[in-house]
Amino acid sequence: MDAAEDGMWWFKAAHARVLDALRARPGPEGPVLDAGCGTGGFLRRLRDAMPGRGAMGLEYLPDAARRAMEKSGWPVVAGDANALPFADASFGAAVSIDVICHAGVDPARGLAELHRVLRPGGTVVLNLPAFEWLRSAHDARVHTARRYTAAGAAAMMEQAGFTAIVSRYWNGLLLPLMALQRKVLHRKPDAPSDVTHFPPWIDRTLHAVAETERRIGLSGIPMPAGGSVLVIATRP
C-alpha cells in the first residue's frame, strides 16, 4: 500500500473526490483528522492541496503510523478508530477512507467517535466499498467486513446522529471491468488484492476514465451505481 498509493489510479481518484468534498463543505476552523490514514497518502495530498489547513492522522499499526508521518509531514498517532485518543470537538473535519468497513472497526462505535471529536458544524467524509455482490478475494486480503449501498450508508450516518447527508456512488464507468476482474478473472479465494502496480499505460487509462467521471459528478450528474460510496455529512 505504501508504494501503490502514491501512483495507483484508484488512490488518486479516491483522494481527489475526498478533497472535492472538503472544498465544498470545509466545516468550521480546525484541523482535519484522517482516521485510519494507512501510510499517509491522503495526508500528503491534503497537505499539497490545502497547505493552510492543519491535519492529523490516526493509524492502528505503529509502523504504518510512523511511515505516514514521514510521508506527509503531519503528526500521526497510533491508535484505534473505535476509541479515538482525542478530546471532544478537536477537529473541524474528519475523513476516513475504507475504514468503517474494516473487520477491526465496529461501525457504530467508529461513527460515534468521529461524531464526538468533530466540532459542531464539522464535516465528515467517508469512502466505503459498494455492493455485497462485489465481494471477492480482494476483500479478504484487505479485511473488508462490510460493503454498502448508498442508501444503507446514508441510513447508517443518520442513525449515528449526522445531518445534511449526501451519499453517492463513484467508479461507475469502470464498474463492469471491476465486476469482470473480481467475479471472473480473480474469482478464486486465493486471488491477489486489487492493490497493485499496473503497467503505466493501463494506469493512465483507468485514471483518465475516473477523472472523466469525476468531472461528470462535479457538474451535478450522479452515477446510478459504482464500486465505491462517498458519504458527506455534518455533525450538528
Side-chain angles (χ1 to χ4, degrees), residues 25 162-166 232-234:
R25 201 187 300 188
F162 292 96
T163 59
I165 301 163
V166 176
I232 310 161
T234 296

Side-chain angles (χ1 to χ4, degrees), residues 196-222:
T196 187
H197 290 287
F198 292 85
W201 71 271
I202 294 179
D203 197 272
R204 287 194 298 269
T205 301
L206 295 174
H207 187 250
V209 174
E211 277 296 288
T212 298
E213 181 184 307
R214 176 172 164 248
R215 289 192 290 271
I216 292 171
L218 289 173
S219 71
I221 302 172

Side-chain angles (χ1 to χ4, degrees), residues 102-120:
H102 194 275
V105 177
D106 177 85
R109 289 174 61 191
L111 290 175
E113 283 293 275
L114 290 174
H115 191 284
R116 178 183 66 81
V117 302
L118 281 171
R119 295 174 181 171

Side-chain angles (χ1 to χ4, degrees), residues 19-34:
L19 288 170
D20 287 342
L22 288 175
R23 292 186 186 100
R25 201 187 300 188
E29 289 188 6
V32 177
L33 171 65
D34 186 352

Side-chain angles (χ1 to χ4, degrees), residues 169-189:
Y169 295 107
W170 71 273
N171 206 13
L173 296 181
L174 291 171
L175 183 59
L177 285 178
M178 185 177 178
L180 175 65
Q181 168 83 354
R182 293 193 170 195
K183 309 309 289 187
V184 178
L185 301 179
H186 280 182
R187 66 182 182 276
K188 294 182 178 180

Side-chain angles (χ1 to χ4, degrees), residues 98-99 101-105 135 137-146:
D98 286 12
V99 174
C101 58
H102 194 275
V105 177
R135 182 170 296 280
H138 168 79
D139 295 290
R141 297 283 186 183
V142 299
H143 309 290
T144 296
R146 295 164 293 275

